[in-house]
Amino acid sequence: MSASSPVSEHHAEQLGSMLFLLRSILVHEMEKELAADPSELRMTQAQVVLRLACQGAMTAGDLARSIGHDPGALTRIIDQLQHKGLVERQPHESDRRALRIALTPQGMLVQRRLHATRMKVMSRLLAGLQDAEREQLMDFMQRMLHSLQNPTDSHQV
C-alpha cells in the first residue's frame, strides 16, 4: 500500500458530516417507502429480515453484531418479527443452549419486497452518477471500510 498524506481536520469533519447526513436521509427514505408496504415494518425490523435473507440463520448475538444493534433491543425486535410470522427461533445445531433466528417462508416473501424497496431507494441515490463514478465510489468506500476494520494496515507504507 502506498503512503498517503495526513488527513486534514477539515476533510475529516466534512466527510463525517456528509456520511451522517447521508445515513439520516437514507433511513428517512427507507422509512417512507416501508410505510407503504403491507408488512408495516420499521427500518430495524427490515434490516433484520434483509440480513437473515443474506446470511442465513444465526444466533441473536451474531445478528445484533451484524447490524450494529444492542442485543437487548434486538430481542424485542425478534419477538415482534416472530409475532408477525416472519422469523422463527430454531435450535442451534451444535449448542443445545443456543437458538438460531431464521426467516419463515412468509419472511422470505416479505424479504423480496424489502429488497425491491431498498433497490428503489438506492437507485435514486445513485441516479446522478455515471457507471465509472459508481465504481470509483464503491472502491473508495471499500478502502475506507478496510481502514476502519484493519487499522494497522492503514498505517503501513
Side-chain angles (χ1 to χ4, degrees):
M1 183 178 280
S2 63
S4 60
S5 61
V7 177
S8 76
E9 189 172 323
H10 172 74
H11 286 134
E13 180 63 36
Q14 271 192 317
L15 180 61
S17 294
M18 282 191 278
L19 289 173
F20 182 78
L21 181 59
L22 182 61
R23 181 192 180 281
S24 296
I25 292 171
L26 278 172
V27 168
H28 175 74
E29 290 299 309
M30 278 296 295
E31 290 277 0
K32 205 164 55 172
E33 293 291 335
L34 288 171
D37 190 86
S39 64
E40 299 179 342
L41 296 181
R42 301 286 296 165
M43 183 65 183
T44 306
Q45 293 170 325
Q47 279 183 294
V48 167
V49 170
L50 289 166
R51 183 61 53 144
L52 289 171
C54 180
Q55 292 185 309
M58 62 180 74
T59 66
D62 289 340
L63 183 56
R65 279 187 292 284
S66 76
I67 66 168
H69 209 16
D70 173 72
L74 186 66
T75 298
R76 289 185 294 280
I77 292 165
I78 292 167
D79 290 344
Q80 294 163 354
L81 292 171
Q82 188 171 17
H83 181 73
K84 290 177 179 277
L86 303 181
V87 301
E88 61 186 1
R89 289 173 166 95
Q90 302 173 336
H92 194 283
E93 61 276 358
S94 62
D95 183 350
R96 291 183 306 140
R97 299 166 297 161
L99 294 172
R100 291 171 53 89
I101 312 304
L103 288 179
T104 63
Q106 183 180 349
M108 288 301 294
L109 291 174
V110 168
Q111 177 273 330
R112 288 186 193 104
R113 287 198 319 266
L114 294 175
H115 177 76
T117 297
R118 183 169 59 178
M119 291 304 100
K120 181 178 176 181
V121 171
M122 294 308 296
S123 293
R124 287 196 316 255
L125 171 71
L126 297 170
L129 301 176
Q130 299 296 318
D131 284 343
E133 292 171 320
R134 292 178 192 137
E135 292 297 324
Q136 190 175 30
L137 175 62
M138 290 300 298
D139 178 59
F140 291 157
M141 293 182 78
Q142 286 171 346
R143 287 191 284 168
M144 287 188 291
L145 283 171
H146 180 82
S147 292
L148 289 175
Q149 293 169 336
N150 305 288
T152 56
D153 290 353
S154 64
H155 299 299
Q156 295 177 353
V157 176

